[in-house]
Amino acid sequence: MAIEIIQPDGLDKPETYSHVVIATGSRMVFVAGQMSDDPDGNLIHPGDLAAQAQQVFANLGRALTAAGARPDQVTKITIYVVGHRREYLPVIERARVGLFGDHKPADVLLGVETLAAPGYLIEVDAIAVV
């Protein structure tokens, strides 16, 4: 699989994502939204965005591995954050870099009112091309 990252002229140069990702491969992997769940499906780290973000990206990594995909093959993620505020960005970015390192998939970050169940603060889904 080959990924080409493009940061177009005339657009800002984001630190943690890319404006355009072109992927060529033979298989697409779609990972459902990952939340701060333990292996039994129970919420962990209620009320702690930083800890939930770490768990969410760790769970995303596990899901990618199960599909035979690596984090550097992810082309796009969507991040959903309950009651998002600008000051949450550094917390989310630290967790994101923990999984992706220098790889910068395209992304969307959405502030939402609620997620699937009370207590969850962040959810992330992904698309990879393998």
Side-chain angles (χ1 to χ4, degrees):
M1 190 271 315
I3 287 184
E4 179 183 357
I5 302 290
I6 300 173
Q7 299 292 20
D9 291 337
L11 295 179
D12 65 320
K13 304 293 187 230
E15 290 184 31
T16 58
Y17 70 92
S18 299
H19 286 289
V20 179
V21 177
I22 300 170
T24 306
S26 60
R27 192 166 60 113
M28 293 183 72
V29 176
F30 298 86
V31 179
Q34 298 300 301
M35 299 173 74
S36 182
D37 288 332
D38 66 15
D40 296 320
N42 300 307
L43 167 66
I44 57 175
H45 313 299
D48 185 338
L49 177 63
Q52 282 196 26
Q54 291 289 332
Q55 185 67 40
V56 164
F57 281 99
N59 288 350
L60 181 58
R62 287 181 191 93
L64 290 166
T65 297
R70 299 184 316 266
D72 66 338
Q73 295 172 314
V74 172
T75 57
K76 182 167 187 305
I77 62 173
T78 305
I79 305 168
Y80 306 88
V81 181
V82 173
H84 177 66
R85 298 192 314 250
R86 191 157 188 70
E87 58 266 25
Y88 293 170
L89 283 174
V91 170
I92 295 164
E93 289 172 352
R94 275 192 299 277
R96 175 192 180 127
V97 168
L99 175 62
F100 292 112
D102 291 335
H103 179 59
K104 299 176 184 179
D107 80 3
V108 174
L109 189 151
L110 298 169
V112 297
E113 184 176 333
T114 187
L115 292 170
Y120 290 93
L121 302 175
I122 184 170
E123 180 173 352
V124 180
D125 64 30
I127 300 171
V129 178
V130 181

